[in-house]
Amino acid sequence: MFKGFKDFLLRGNVIDLAVAVVIGSAFTAIVTAVVNSVINPLVALFFQADAAGGFGPQITNIYGEKVTFPIGDLISAIISFLAVAAVVYFVFVLPMNTFKKHVEARKGTPAEEPEEEPAAATEAELLVEIRDLLARNAARDEAARG
């Protein structure tokens, strides 16, 4: 039981995962700062942030009280997610991909494209090959005997 755990720890994936979590935590601070400094003020130009939470259909419960389904919070969460995704893509992913292509171009090595594997032989093609090999071996045996 402990050998399997030791193998799991020493495989390297755990270290990579730990590094990814630490970098992800630090990266979250950067993304949050960009969203709070740039994206939220842009959204505030068009929408009042405090007004979104009370938006949604209201239904009277069995006690006669109004219950609000805060659809505004859901819409705010979706807008926040899309804003964060846009920041991550346009500020980090796109420039990094461009930089990688530039580095590869300077090295003179094209980006590696996976080579297409030859199509696997069908059952009929394999049977034809076997038949031909058997025929050649039989002819060779006849020539050796005769």
Side-chain angles (χ1 to χ4, degrees):
M1 181 165 100
F2 288 109
K3 182 184 181 317
F5 181 68
K6 179 182 151 195
D7 292 343
F8 170 71
L9 288 178
L10 296 178
R11 191 178 321 158
N13 295 345
V14 174
I15 302 299
D16 293 341
L17 183 60
V19 169
V21 168
V22 170
I23 294 296
S25 298
F27 188 69
T28 300
I30 294 171
V31 171
T32 302
V34 170
V35 169
N36 290 337
S37 303
V38 178
I39 303 300
N40 287 347
L42 289 174
V43 171
L45 291 173
F46 302 101
F47 301 103
Q48 189 176 8
D50 296 338
F55 173 73
Q58 290 187 346
I59 298 176
T60 305
N61 67 8
I62 60 173
Y63 303 108
E65 300 168 345
K66 296 278 186 184
V67 176
T68 302
F69 288 84
I71 302 296
D73 289 341
L74 177 63
I75 293 170
S76 294
I78 291 170
I79 289 172
S80 295
F81 171 77
L82 293 175
V84 168
V87 167
V88 168
Y89 181 75
F90 289 110
V91 175
F92 299 104
V93 174
L94 188 63
M96 184 58 71
N97 288 343
T98 304
F99 176 73
K100 284 181 182 179
K101 287 180 184 176
H102 178 70
V103 168
E104 288 174 359
R106 288 188 81 195
K107 286 182 182 177
T109 57
E112 291 185 26
E113 296 178 12
E115 295 180 16
E116 291 185 24
E117 294 183 18
T122 64
E123 186 175 340
E125 291 171 339
L126 291 173
L127 289 172
V128 168
E129 278 186 52
I130 292 170
R131 182 198 65 200
D132 293 344
L133 286 172
L134 289 172
R136 274 189 237 132
N137 286 342
R140 187 182 58 201
D141 289 346
E142 283 291 320
R145 277 188 252 166

